Amino acid sequence: MAQGPHNVLLVVNQRSGMSRTIADYYAQRRHIPKSNICSIRAPEDEEIDRATFDKSVRQPILDCLQSGKLQDRVLYIVLTKGVPLKVKGHAGQNDQASVDSELTLLYQDMLGVTRVLPGRLPNPYFAGDAGTNLARFSHRRFPIYLVTRLDGYDVGDACALVARAQSPAKGGRFILDLPWNGNGQGDNWLRMAADKLKEAGVPASRITLETSPVFLTGQKQVLGYASWGSNDRSDHFRWLGNTWVNGALLEEYVSTDARTFKRPPKDWKIGQWSDPPATFFDGSPQSLIADYIHEGVTGAAGNVYEPYLDACVRPQILFPAYVKGFNLAESYYAAIPFLSWQTVVIGDPLTAPFAHTTLPKVEADPPVDPATGLPKFYSMWKRKVAEKGGRE
């Protein structure tokens, strides 16, 4: 692994039995230090208002980071099922967001950076559409946290993410499925992903770029999958029916595929926005990434509310970064252009089947700045922010 358990802050909601069970399982399997386990007491509701988020989620996690002087050593924050999922917005104010994406900015909150609401903020770790800014993650260059979530329809689904992450495969196929009617920019990203994978050394025989009207299902030994999901009018399937290798990552361009992790009725089917609202589940006809978690993926990204296409995960960054040795969290966040927005990343951040280098100790566990008594990079950023009057 490029980084280890000492770089993870594990968040458990003590009001949720599911959260406690999943957190215990992850802590045991990954040997998370007790000092890196953060207990909060938040509502079990998936959607909460911003005042509740600030009081019961954001502030307790800030307290854990500051009281343990974990500002720099923690690189990844892992949430568990039972921790609220999304922050409800106000009509017409564009201030709704995923809990996970808001928590990426805790480092800046501790620095005293002026918080900008509503709307989205540029992700400083985003590698750019061409991937030219791809870099290993540490706080030397990036004053944010990478936040992932262990979630699914039940405790079993969430714990299976952890088990699969510990025995990831290096072999497997990449499925890149273009839609029946063409969608310009998003299609170009899928085509770029095929080219970038080849440049990264993946044999062409392991890359399927589907450009016909057919929506691919039932694929074997899938390591990476990206499509338009239920936005592809040829997709009539709630389940992809793929065989996933351990370590498999998934991305789809769908507005609300992480809107809930509640289990739909067995007879529920995905549809279109033109369908009768009575056929929707949790307010939407669109596909759910929880189905793919149940089916066997190890990592996935989705959206809790409408992100717009330009805010979706870039497959041409995600998959090449992964095969180059970046871990799950780095691969996804390098491919996410905005924070304080709608994305959630599902999976164990330490998943890294292709890892071949380690993050230097000075990056993974920086020393204390003798002048401030605080972690080195955190002190550096504090000085910069003070000099700029509260701007990062």
Side-chain angles (χ1 to χ4, degrees):
M1 293 186 297
Q3 292 88 33
H6 60 285
N7 298 121
V8 173
L9 184 76
L10 175 61
V11 178
V12 52
N13 184 4
Q14 292 296 341
R15 289 183 175 175
S16 168
M18 290 187 295
S19 179
R20 295 195 303 270
T21 300
I22 296 163
D24 287 346
Y25 181 81
Y26 184 70
Q28 292 173 16
R29 293 294 291 263
R30 282 299 195 191
H31 307 290
I32 305 298
K34 289 185 179 180
S35 59
N36 287 46
I37 299 175
C38 179
S39 292
I40 66 173
R41 297 187 64 82
E44 293 184 71
D45 303 321
E46 286 190 317
E47 186 176 60
I48 56 176
D49 61 34
R50 189 161 292 275
T52 303
F53 165 73
D54 286 336
K55 180 180 179 181
S56 66
V57 180
R58 175 180 166 274
Q59 189 60 52
I61 300 175
L62 278 173
D63 293 342
C64 288
L65 290 165
Q66 292 175 315
S67 64
K69 294 187 177 180
L70 299 174
Q71 292 97 328
D72 280 349
R73 185 172 54 171
V74 165
L75 301 176
Y76 314 108
I77 297 176
V78 176
L79 310 180
T80 45
K81 185 175 183 65
V83 173
L85 174 67
K86 48 192 179 180
V87 181
K88 180 167 48 178
H90 298 85
Q93 293 190 24
N94 207 30
D95 58 343
Q96 71 280 3
S98 76
V99 164
D100 309 42
S101 192
E102 293 288 30
L103 292 177
T104 63
L105 299 177
L106 288 180
Y107 198 95
Q108 297 187 15
D109 289 345
M110 290 186 291
L111 294 173
V113 175
T114 302
R115 172 76 78 136
V116 178
L117 282 173
R120 61 197 191 182
L121 298 174
N123 174 10
Y125 190 59
F126 178 49
D129 282 337
T132 52
N133 298 322
L134 192 62
R136 300 307 303 273
F137 181 78
S138 81
H139 294 308
R140 181 190 292 275
R141 291 180 56 191
F142 306 107
I144 61 171
Y145 292 107
L146 305 187
V147 181
T148 72
R149 174 179 290 266
L150 301 174
D151 214 326
Y153 286 136
D154 51 31
V155 168
D157 280 353
C159 290
L161 292 167
V162 181
R164 292 193 286 265
Q166 291 193 293
S167 57
K170 292 186 177 182
R173 300 171 55 222
F174 291 88
I175 308 299
L176 309 167
D177 196 350
L178 277 67
W180 70 278
N181 58 343
N183 278 277
Q185 188 179 48
D187 288 0
N188 290 337
W189 296 337
L190 291 168
R191 293 188 179 95
M192 287 175 64
D195 292 337
K196 294 287 187 181
L197 282 167
K198 292 172 187 174
E199 292 175 10
V202 178
S205 60
R206 288 173 48 197
I207 304 168
T208 297
L209 181 65
E210 179 58 53
T211 59
S212 79
V214 174
F215 186 82
L216 293 180
T217 58
Q219 301 299 298
K220 306 298 183 184
Q221 299 296 298
V222 179
L223 176 59
Y225 175 91
S227 78
W228 286 80
S230 55
N231 281 322
D232 186 333
R233 293 296 181 92
S234 298
D235 178 12
H236 306 293
F237 310 96
R238 178 180 161 191
W239 304 96
L240 290 171
N242 292 338
T243 300
W244 306 93
V245 301
N246 286 355
L249 304 186
L250 175 142
E251 152 61 8
E252 59 177 15
Y253 307 141
V254 174
S255 303
T256 61
D257 53 355
R259 64 190 179 274
T260 185
F261 288 85
K262 299 171 185 174
R263 193 187 300 271
K266 287 184 178 180
D267 60 352
W268 178 71
K269 297 179 181 179
I270 63 171
Q272 303 297 323
W273 287 106
S274 57
D275 294 340
T279 65
F280 295 0
F281 180 71
D282 202 66
S284 169
Q286 295 186 307
S287 47
L288 291 164
I289 59 170
D291 279 343
Y292 313 137
I293 296 167
H294 187 73
E295 196 172 75
V297 301
T298 304
N303 302 295
V304 298
Y305 304 108
E306 172 62 64
Y308 307 107
L309 179 61
D310 68 335
C312 287
V313 170
R314 306 293 200 265
Q316 75 272 26
I317 308 302
L318 170 66
F319 299 132
Y322 198 50
V323 301
K324 288 178 181 177
F326 288 70
N327 63 33
L328 180 148
E330 291 173 316
S331 299
Y332 273 110
Y333 275 93
I336 295 171
F338 301 106
L339 303 177
S340 189
W341 202 229
Q342 316 308 338
T343 311
V344 294
V345 175
I346 304 298
D348 178 355
L350 301 179
T351 311
F354 300 94
H356 51 78
T357 60
T358 58
L359 196 67
K361 181 175 173 57
V362 69
E363 303 277 338
D365 192 6
V368 170
D369 183 338
T372 64
L374 296 170
K376 178 180 178 179
F377 301 144
Y378 179 67
S379 294
M380 174 192 74
W381 285 109
K382 286 279 281 187
R383 288 192 293 271
K384 288 184 177 180
V385 169
E387 290 168 0
K388 293 182 178 181
R391 300 188 307 277
E392 183 270 310

